[in-house]
Amino acid sequence: MKLISRLLLLSFFTLAVFTYILPVEATSTNQESTPTQQDEIIVNGTKINSYPIIINDCTLVPARDVCKNLGFTISWDSDEQTATINSKNMKSTVKIGQDLYTAQSTIALGMTAPISLGSGPLLINDKLYIPAELFRILQGNNPESLIYNNHQILLNTIE
């Protein structure tokens, strides 16, 4: 009798979990992947004609536009779906859809630990969007390199 009671209780608990938790997970996953546009991007004091995209609380900016205005170089490998971004002292290779970032020193031995920034790079209308936070990492985590101010994203080149 105790065994039947325990099995019945376990069955009820399992059903409750599947009924209440799984639909919430499915809903939140769909909502998190919906991109939204907001704010403006200002690079070294100049507003660029592109907007950021926010996904999973991660601010993604158009890589080529920002790199050009920061004085960074960027190259695209269409076969591998990767982009390599070079600042003065660091470089990073990012892969579409992969939320795992590292930066390697170009002047000494060393690299950062792999880190998730909240979203992998995205290609939207043939434009590559990457997390704005990567530009801070590429400049030695200097807090002045990336500032969120009201509805502005301020990116600055740090010498």
Side-chain angles (χ1 to χ4, degrees), residues 56-132:
N56 297 336
D57 293 327
C58 178
T59 302
L60 295 119
V61 295
R64 190 162 303 279
D65 295 341
V66 171
C67 284
K68 176 182 160 193
N69 287 287
L70 285 174
F72 293 6
T73 61
I74 183 168
S75 59
W76 175 250
D77 182 339
S78 59
D79 293 334
E80 296 293 322
Q81 296 284 289
T82 60
T84 301
I85 301 161
N86 286 287
S87 69
K88 184 178 179 182
N89 299 323
M90 303 281 280
K91 78 173 184 174
S92 181
T93 300
V94 299
K95 184 167 180 64
I96 297 297
Q98 189 174 67
D99 182 17
L100 193 61
Y101 300 88
T102 61
Q104 299 83 32
S105 173
T106 58
I107 58 172
L109 290 175
M111 71 184 286
T112 64
I115 185 171
S116 168
L117 296 177
S119 176
L122 301 173
L123 265 180
I124 301 173
N125 297 327
D126 293 327
K127 193 176 261 195
L128 177 66
Y129 285 82
I130 61 174

Side-chain angles (χ1 to χ4, degrees), residues 8-92:
L8 210 83
L9 184 60
L10 181 62
S11 298
F12 177 76
F13 179 76
T14 303
L15 181 62
V17 167
F18 282 111
T19 303
Y20 293 104
I21 293 177
L22 288 181
V24 169
E25 278 298 313
T27 301
S28 66
T29 301
N30 289 336
Q31 290 174 348
E32 288 173 351
S33 63
T34 304
T36 59
Q37 288 189 355
Q38 57 182 318
D39 299 336
E40 62 184 7
I41 304 167
I42 299 175
V43 183
N44 287 329
T46 303
K47 182 181 179 225
I48 63 172
N49 291 328
S50 298
Y51 295 94
I53 295 175
I54 314 298
I55 297 179
N56 297 336
D57 293 327
C58 178
T59 302
L60 295 119
V61 295
R64 190 162 303 279
D65 295 341
V66 171
C67 284
K68 176 182 160 193
N69 287 287
L70 285 174
F72 293 6
T73 61
I74 183 168
S75 59
W76 175 250
D77 182 339
S78 59
D79 293 334
E80 296 293 322
Q81 296 284 289
T82 60
T84 301
I85 301 161
N86 286 287
S87 69
K88 184 178 179 182
N89 299 323
M90 303 281 280
K91 78 173 184 174
S92 181

